[in-house]
Every structure is written in C-alpha cells, then in structure tokens.
Amino acid sequence: DIVLTQSPATLSVTPGESVSLSCRASQGISSSIHWYQQKSNESPRLLIKYVSQSISGIPSRFSGSGSGTDFTLIINRVESEDFSVYYCQQSYNLPYTFGAGTKLELK
Amino acid sequence: EVQLVESGGGLVQPGRSLKLSCAASGFTFSDYYMAWVRQAPTKGLEWVASISYDGGGTYYRDSVKGRFTISRDNAKSSLYLQMDSLRSEDTATYYCTTAIAAIWSYWGQGVMVTVSS
C-alpha cells in the first residue's frame, strides 16, 4: 500500500499568515494527489485535485504544488474559517489511501 | 444541488450484519462511480469500497473483502453497503461519496456504525 506521510501533525498559526502543509508518498504517484479539508463535525470537502487543479467554489487562497513523492498544500493568508484538518489522498493505486492529516489551529 | 443522504447505521454486536443506504439526488447518479469512505472516532479517513457506473466493477480494501458488499440501484439513485461479520474495528462514521477517478467530490453527512457487545 502507498503510505502518505503528512507533516506537521499540528500547525499553530495566526490569521493572515501563509502556510505550507506537506504530504510525502512512499513511492512515486505521478500527479495523483488530492487535498481535502475537514472542519470539526463536518464531512470532508475536496479542495485541490491532481496536485494543483482548482475546484469550483474553493477560495483562491488554496493552492497546491509538487511532483513525484513530495506535495504541498499552500494556504495564502489564513482566515479564521480555515482552522480545520487537512488530508492528502492518492488515487494512483488501490487501495486508495489518505495521510493522517494536518491540524491547522489558532496560535 | 447534489445531496447524498446516508441511513441504516446504529449499534450492532460483533459478528452481526448491517446494511447502509445512500440516497442520491441533484445529479445523474449513473454517471458516477460511487464509494464508501469511513472514519473511526478521532481518527483519519479510510477508503472502504468503490463501485463502477453500472455496478459491474467493485473494489474493496483488504480488511473488508469477503465481509462487505457494495452495490447500487441506478433506477433508485441509491448506493448500498452490506456489512457482514462486523468487528469492533469497523466502528466508524461511514460516508457515501461520488467518485471520479477515485477523487471524491461530494460527500454525505455520514452515518455512525458502532460494533460492540
């Protein structure tokens, strides 16, 4: 199975800061990496697909980058509504797997 | 508006069965693969099973293979998950999702399954 390692586990930030969340795959997965946001007691929401492709309705402050095994979700100027957990997910191979998540919290 | 509404969860003893349902609306159900993704309490997300447009292809994670069966009824715009021989480690919130190339765009609100004696 492809293991996705997200870091850091928790990130404490102040609104207005820009942050980068990392996701590293245990093997090359081309561009088959996607990012989800899950707010407390809510269902996950798709933010970014295929590394950097935007999703309709998602604010433009969310972007993605990376290739091969190393991928990054960037949040430009964090807003209060962004404090939640972020997961990366690979669709390269079965079984489809998620990272353990990065919790973005208020400093 | 896309809506996915899960039902059928609850408390069940180990070894027993439960069937989850997901009623879909707001999109052409038969145009999408569908999937179940679960989340154990305070844990991360875990893909469980996927099904092709017409139900001819089904895919499972190893830990549920032979115990869970995913199915769909396109005429009713409904997705199902038959769960047999349930174990304590199956305790989770189960989400119904639309799937395009294993990217899950729309999610239901989730349904809780608790396996305990």
Side-chain angles (χ1 to χ4, degrees):
Chain A
D1 297 3
I2 295 174
V3 176
L4 299 179
T5 302
Q6 290 190 245
S7 62
T10 304
L11 190 55
S12 301
V13 302
T14 303
E17 284 187 59
S18 294
V19 298
S20 295
L21 284 60
S22 173
C23 178
R24 176 167 291 176
S26 59
Q27 66 181 74
I29 56 172
S30 186
S31 59
S32 300
I33 196 77
H34 322 292
W35 292 92
Y36 300 82
Q37 176 192 56
Q38 187 177 30
K39 297 182 180 180
S40 182
N41 297 317
E42 293 188 10
S43 303
R45 175 174 73 152
L46 179 65
L47 291 179
I48 298 282
K49 64 180 181 181
Y50 294 117
V51 179
S52 60
Q53 292 185 18
S54 59
I55 302 297
S56 175
I58 301 301
S60 59
R61 64 181 180 274
F62 292 95
S63 63
S65 67
S67 64
T69 60
D70 291 318
F71 304 92
T72 303
L73 175 69
I74 301 131
I75 310 174
N76 191 26
R77 295 192 296 274
V78 170
E79 298 189 7
S80 57
E81 65 187 30
D82 300 337
F83 293 108
S84 50
V85 180
Y86 294 87
Y87 295 95
C88 57
Q89 174 245 328
Q90 64 82 19
S91 60
Y92 187 77
N93 263 353
L94 284 167
Y96 306 122
T97 51
F98 291 88
T102 291
K103 181 179 182 180
L104 190 67
E105 65 175 24
L106 181 64
K107 182 185 286 185
Chain B
E1 180 194 2
V2 171
Q3 281 200 316
L4 298 169
V5 180
E6 301 96 336
S7 60
L11 173 63
V12 61
Q13 294 178 328
R16 303 298 290 265
S17 299
L18 205 59
K19 186 173 185 177
L20 305 182
S21 299
C22 171
S25 61
F27 64 103
T28 304
F29 184 71
S30 57
D31 284 352
Y32 286 79
Y33 272 54
M34 297 294 294
W36 290 97
V37 175
R38 69 185 179 185
Q39 186 170 35
T42 73
K43 301 297 184 183
L45 300 167
E46 183 176 78
W47 168 76
V48 175
S50 295
I51 188 167
S52 62
Y53 309 109
D54 62 357
T58 56
Y59 314 87
Y60 302 91
R61 67 179 304 103
D62 283 349
S63 61
V64 307
K65 211 172 285 184
R67 299 188 300 122
F68 288 12
T69 303
I70 188 172
S71 62
R72 66 190 296 162
D73 184 336
N74 285 346
K76 295 182 177 179
S77 296
S78 293
L79 176 72
Y80 306 101
L81 186 67
Q82 175 68 43
M83 303 185 294
D84 299 325
S85 302
L86 281 161
R87 304 168 180 169
S88 58
E89 55 263 37
D90 296 318
T91 293
T93 295
Y94 285 72
Y95 295 101
C96 165
T97 74
T98 59
I100 296 180
I103 303 168
W104 300 300
S105 301
Y106 298 105
W107 298 65
Q109 84 287 353
V111 62
M112 185 67 200
V113 173
T114 302
V115 184
S116 174
S117 54

